[in-house]
């Protein structure tokens, strides 16, 4: 599993509250990614990082921010969660040309 | 325009038959890569097979092969001798250039293998 851990695995939160999802990797990979998966949309890129403090926006970045203060951790924050952000969130890394995904976080905003 | 198109939202196939899952792509890059992932009901994303744009031969991995037709911009996944455990969502994805900005995914095909 390339040493990728996502936490929490499941979370229910209320509209308007801040939420932070964590992706932790143990193999010093430079590139890390956050995707969301929704029925009928496949996986869509939210943000990605190409090093400590180096991040960029993906296709669906509105309403999300990220931080990477250490190589091993890539945090995804929903500043004020909305029901449209109910989704399954995947973290991924790339190494040797391949991409490996974490187990996902199922987030429900009520 | 969509970069990855999977035209089969769902498929039903009899066990032991071969299955072809369609994928077409759109890119202006000369260097790119095409990936197939399997997502069973448990939710994890499982890498199946990869084809690079400069690879001259179609990729194969066990029962999986990729029918790569560069001129048609298609990268269909072929599963030989399907098994009940092949029932899952299947996603085609593309890396453009060096891939630093990640993969672009199709919407997926839900494959159901019937006994």
């Amino acid at each position: 599993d390339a040493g990728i851990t996502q936490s929490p695995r499941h979370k229910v939160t209320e509209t308007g509250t801040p939420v932070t999802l964590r992706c932790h990797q143990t193999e010093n990979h430079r590139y890390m990614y956050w995707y969301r998966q929704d029925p009928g949309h496949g996986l869509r890129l939210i943000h990605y990082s190409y090093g400590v403090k180096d991040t960029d926006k993906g296709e669906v970045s509105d309403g999300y921010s990220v931080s990477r203060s250490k190589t091993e951790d890539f945090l995804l924050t929903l500043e004020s969660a909305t029901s449209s952000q109910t989704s399954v969130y995947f973290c991924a890394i790339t190494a040797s040309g391949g991409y490996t995904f974490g187990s996902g976080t199922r987030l429900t905003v009520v | 325009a969509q970069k990855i198109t999977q035209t089969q939202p769902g498929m039903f196939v009899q066990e032991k038959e071969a299955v072809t899952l369609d994928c077409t792509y759109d890119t202006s890059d000369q260097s790119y890569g095409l990936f197939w992932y399997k997502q069973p009901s448990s939710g994890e994303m499982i890498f199946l097979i990869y084809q690079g744009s400069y690879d001259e031969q179609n990729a194969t991995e066990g029962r999986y092969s990729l029918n790569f037709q560069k001129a048609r911009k298609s990268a269909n996944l072929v599963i030989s001798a399907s098994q009940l455990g092949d029932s899952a969502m299947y996603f085609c994805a593309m890396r453009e250039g060096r891939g630093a900005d990640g993969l672009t995914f199709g919407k997926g095909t839900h494959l159901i293998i019937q006994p």
Side-chain angles (χ1 to χ4, degrees):
Chain A
D1 203 10
I4 304 172
T5 304
Q6 291 187 231
S7 59
R9 292 296 313 276
H10 301 272
K11 185 170 182 66
V12 180
T13 192
E14 292 187 349
T15 300
T17 60
V19 177
T20 295
L21 309 183
R22 181 185 185 225
C23 178
H24 178 78
Q25 55 122 338
T26 59
E27 299 184 4
N28 210 34
H29 297 295
R30 179 181 173 191
Y31 292 92
M32 298 183 75
Y33 307 86
W34 276 108
Y35 287 86
R36 62 178 287 174
Q37 182 180 18
D38 304 290
H41 288 279
L43 278 73
R44 293 179 291 174
L45 184 66
I46 306 171
H47 281 279
Y48 63 99
S49 170
Y50 44 95
V52 172
K53 297 187 180 179
D54 290 324
T55 65
D56 207 344
K57 296 179 179 180
E59 176 189 357
V60 291
S61 59
D62 287 350
Y64 302 94
S65 62
V66 289
S67 65
R68 193 163 178 204
S69 59
K70 300 184 290 185
T71 298
E72 58 266 35
D73 288 326
F74 190 30
L75 304 181
L76 177 71
T77 297
L78 291 66
E79 300 290 349
S80 177
T82 67
S83 58
S84 65
Q85 293 176 311
T86 292
S87 188
V88 179
Y89 292 85
F90 284 97
C91 174
I93 60 93
T94 183
S96 303
Y99 295 80
T100 302
F101 290 80
S103 299
T105 294
R106 183 173 295 275
L107 176 68
T108 303
V109 183
V110 298
Chain B
Q2 284 189 351
K3 289 196 171 185
I4 297 287
T5 302
Q6 295 182 250
T7 57
Q8 306 150 310
M11 287 184 72
F12 289 87
V13 173
Q14 289 296 119
E15 189 180 9
K16 300 182 183 177
E17 290 183 352
V19 181
T20 297
L21 304 181
D22 295 340
C23 174
T24 58
Y25 61 91
D26 183 26
T27 181
S28 57
D29 285 0
Q30 295 301 307
S31 175
Y32 55 90
L34 296 153
F35 298 76
W36 277 93
Y37 286 85
K38 173 183 179 181
Q39 186 180 45
S41 58
S42 52
E44 69 268 34
M45 295 292 289
I46 302 169
F47 166 75
L48 295 178
I49 197 165
Y50 167 79
Q51 180 85 39
S53 59
Y54 295 119
D55 295 342
E56 294 185 352
Q57 297 205 351
N58 287 344
T60 61
E61 291 284 352
R63 292 187 300 114
Y64 304 108
S65 61
L66 200 152
N67 183 2
F68 182 47
Q69 298 189 43
K70 197 169 182 176
R72 294 187 177 184
K73 293 190 174 179
S74 75
N76 298 340
L77 176 70
V78 179
I79 306 173
S80 64
S82 58
Q83 303 171 356
L84 296 178
D86 294 332
S87 294
M89 283 292 294
Y90 288 81
F91 292 97
C92 179
M94 177 172 63
R95 164 192 58 78
E96 294 180 276
R98 291 171 58 191
D101 52 355
L103 295 174
T104 301
F105 284 82
K107 296 183 177 182
T109 295
H110 188 193
L111 176 65
I112 297 174
I113 307 298
Q114 297 175 315

